[in-house]
Structure formats: C-alpha cells, structure tokens
Amino acid sequence: MSSMPSERPEWVISGDLKAWYLVAASSEIPLEGVRAARVGTSEIVLFRDSLGQVHGLDPFCAHMGARLQGGKVDQDHLVCPLHGWRYRGDGKVAGGRNCVRSWPVLERFGSVFVFHGQEPTFPLPDGLTQYHWNPMKGAMVDAPWYALTANAFDTHHYEAVHRRRLLEPPVVEQPDAYRFECSYLSTPTGTALSDRLMTRLAPQGIRVTMQCYGGPLFVVQSSLGQRNSALVVGMEPHGRQTRLRLSVGSPKPGPISWLAGFLYSSFLKRDLTAMSGIRMQPYTGLPVDQTMERFARYLEGLPVA
C-alpha cells in the first residue's frame, strides 16, 4: 500500500530583515509630535523636533522603562512622561550618560522610513522627484508579508486575479544583492470600471516596472501611454498578518492624483481575497513560476538584522 506524500515544510522569511521599513505617513507625525511605530517585529517611538526632523528611538525609558510614546517634545528633546528624562534624537539623555537605541530615519515619498540595523547597508530608492506623493489608507491583510511581496512578482497570477494579459515575456533583473526588478507590458481583459479606464488611457498596453528594495519595500512605476505614476508599498509584519502602507505618486495633485490612487487600489484589492490565509509554496518547478522562484531565492538571500 502506497503511503501519502509528506507535507512540504512551510516557506518562511524573517520579519526582521536588515532593511528599510515604511513605518508611517509623514503627515501622521506633526511638528513636535510623538507616535509609536514598528520596525519589523520591534517597537519604536518616533518624534519630530521643532526643525521638522523625525527621530526614531527604542520605546522604553532607560530609567524605569516608562513608554516614551506617552511623552512630549520640548526644545527638541523627547521628554519621558514618568520622570521627565530628556532624550535627544541620537538617544542620549541630556546631561547624563544614559541612552536608548537610536534608529536610522529618512523621509521620502510623503512617508517615514526606518532602517532595521545600526547603519543602512543600502539606500532608499532615489529619483521619483517628478511626482506629487499622496499616502493612502493602508489595510491589514491575512497573509504573511513575504507572501504578499512575492505575490507582486508572480506574473502567473496576473490573468487569473487582475485580468491582465502579458503582451511580451517579463524582463527580470537583480542589479545587486538588495534589489530585484521585474518589467512587463500588459493589457486589461476585464470589464470593471478600472479595467475600462486603463484600456482607454493605454490602448497599446500598460508598461510596469516593479523594484523590491531589501524585502519589505517595493516601488511600482506604471506608464499608461504618456501618463506616468508610481506606487510605494511598505510591508509591516504582524505575525501571520501584514499591514500594507501605501503612497501614490502622480504628476500633480488633484483629480489626477485621485485617479492614480483609484487605479492602484482597484488593482491591489483583487489580491486580498485570493491571498487570505495563504501558506505560500513558491517552488513548484513549473515553467510559468520561474519568476516567482527566482524572487523567492532573492528573499532567502537577504540578511537578517
């Protein structure tokens, strides 16, 4: 009697990669504001000083462990709510030798990014200064962050889920150890409003370039004829769930920005049902999954913080 095949081990990627994480929209941290955030699976506290610079610190006071997110900003210091210890942006206590960890922070694309490590090992995406950036409302998705990121590079699902037919083979590149890129040309085959709009705006097809930066962050650039836009997607791990953080780049604010946001969100929403509860296994051995398998190997090679 033949035995049942053994179940394959689950494919898992750490949520604590040495990478940039999109942790908040810039507008969520006003001048002299304080906000809790997450970098991978770690908690941090963010504060913006009177000059407008955002800093990221470990969230507990070095004195008695009070949560610093309950504090306030005074004269460019984050003040502990329990005993008034004053922290500079570098994590040092004013007038003392104590300190907490300070995290590398940058603002770009209307968003706040924090690097999971002592020093950044690769830069954030550069360029894209031609766009007006508008952070969008994100979503909590019932799928691990790495499954959602890998799904973006799964060209085999574009027709079944997104109603997009590839017009030519995708071009896949890995410029360095931290970046993975995929470009393709597709045409809509669906009949939803977003499909009809894109067919009208780009009758010759939609040119898309996706770039993953270090795992939990990727950038999508789309060309619909002469109309260009971009999308920044950040993944915030929450165990087997993921909070998506999004920022849309359009040539100018107003109706064009709204339209770009509508088209991107309509595209992404189609993944939510299909990906819910997934236990992804990227190594199928099928020719149609070669891009996915190559991306999976890229994720497996990224360093853990």
Side-chain angles (χ1 to χ4, degrees):
M1 183 174 64
S2 61
S3 60
M4 294 293 291
S6 60
E7 185 177 344
R8 290 180 295 175
E10 184 179 354
W11 185 65
V12 176
I13 302 294
S14 171
D16 286 310
L17 296 182
K18 191 176 290 186
W20 289 100
Y21 287 78
L22 197 170
V23 299
S26 291
S27 59
E28 293 177 316
I29 312 173
L31 205 63
E32 299 188 336
V34 182
R35 179 182 175 85
R38 289 168 60 100
V39 182
T41 62
S42 298
E43 294 182 59
I44 67 168
V45 62
L46 302 169
F47 75 95
R48 190 184 296 276
D49 64 28
S50 63
L51 298 178
Q53 184 174 353
V54 178
H55 307 277
L57 304 178
D58 272 357
F60 301 102
C61 181
H63 179 213
M64 284 191 178
R67 281 189 171 272
L68 294 175
Q69 75 179 74
K72 63 180 181 179
V73 178
D74 178 61
Q75 296 182 1
D76 299 333
H77 292 81
L78 177 57
V79 183
C80 175
L82 187 57
H83 295 100
W85 283 34
R86 302 168 62 86
Y87 289 89
R88 303 188 323 209
D90 60 5
K92 295 181 180 179
V93 177
R97 291 177 292 180
N98 298 77
C99 66
V100 296
R101 177 181 175 180
S102 175
W103 297 70
V105 178
L106 284 176
E107 282 191 87
R108 199 167 293 177
F109 317 125
S111 304
V112 178
F113 298 85
V114 178
F115 190 82
H116 200 329
Q118 293 299 322
E119 295 291 340
T121 53
F122 63 94
L124 276 173
D126 55 10
L128 304 178
T129 57
Q130 71 272 35
Y131 294 118
H132 166 79
W133 290 95
N134 181 32
M136 297 175 59
K137 182 180 180 181
M140 185 70 81
V141 185
D142 184 23
W145 77 267
Y146 48 87
L148 293 174
T149 305
N151 175 69
F153 293 86
D154 175 16
T155 56
H156 184 37
H157 90 292
Y158 292 167
E159 174 66 28
V161 175
H162 298 290
R163 304 297 186 262
R164 300 288 182 271
R165 185 178 71 250
L166 294 181
L167 298 178
E168 57 188 37
V171 177
V172 179
E173 299 178 292
Q174 188 174 342
D176 54 54
Y178 297 99
R179 288 186 296 157
F180 189 95
E181 301 179 1
C182 179
S183 300
Y184 63 88
L185 180 67
S186 70
T187 187
T189 61
T191 58
L193 175 59
S194 59
D195 300 321
R196 300 197 304 271
L197 283 172
M198 285 189 285
T199 299
R200 183 172 180 177
L201 293 171
Q204 303 303 314
I206 306 161
R207 176 68 64 184
V208 176
T209 298
M210 299 184 298
Q211 298 173 300
C212 183
Y213 289 81
L217 175 67
F218 67 89
V219 176
V220 182
Q221 296 185 69
S222 302
S223 296
L224 284 71
Q226 300 300 314
R227 300 170 179 85
N228 299 322
S229 62
L231 176 70
V232 173
V233 182
M235 305 284 181
E236 183 178 284
H238 285 260
R240 298 204 57 81
Q241 295 185 315
T242 304
R243 182 177 299 282
L244 292 181
R245 297 188 181 276
L246 313 171
S247 189
V248 174
S250 59
K252 55 185 178 180
I256 292 179
S257 178
W258 179 90
L259 177 61
F262 169 72
L263 293 176
Y264 278 122
S265 61
S266 297
F267 186 88
L268 292 174
K269 284 179 181 178
R270 294 177 177 178
D271 278 318
L272 300 186
T273 300
M275 293 293 291
S276 181
I278 191 171
R279 300 294 187 268
M280 180 170 282
Q281 297 287 352
Y283 296 109
T284 68
L286 299 174
V288 291
D289 295 325
Q290 288 181 354
T291 299
M292 167 71 88
E293 294 192 7
R294 184 171 173 182
F295 183 77
R297 289 193 292 271
Y298 153 77
L299 283 184
E300 291 170 353
L302 294 170
V304 177

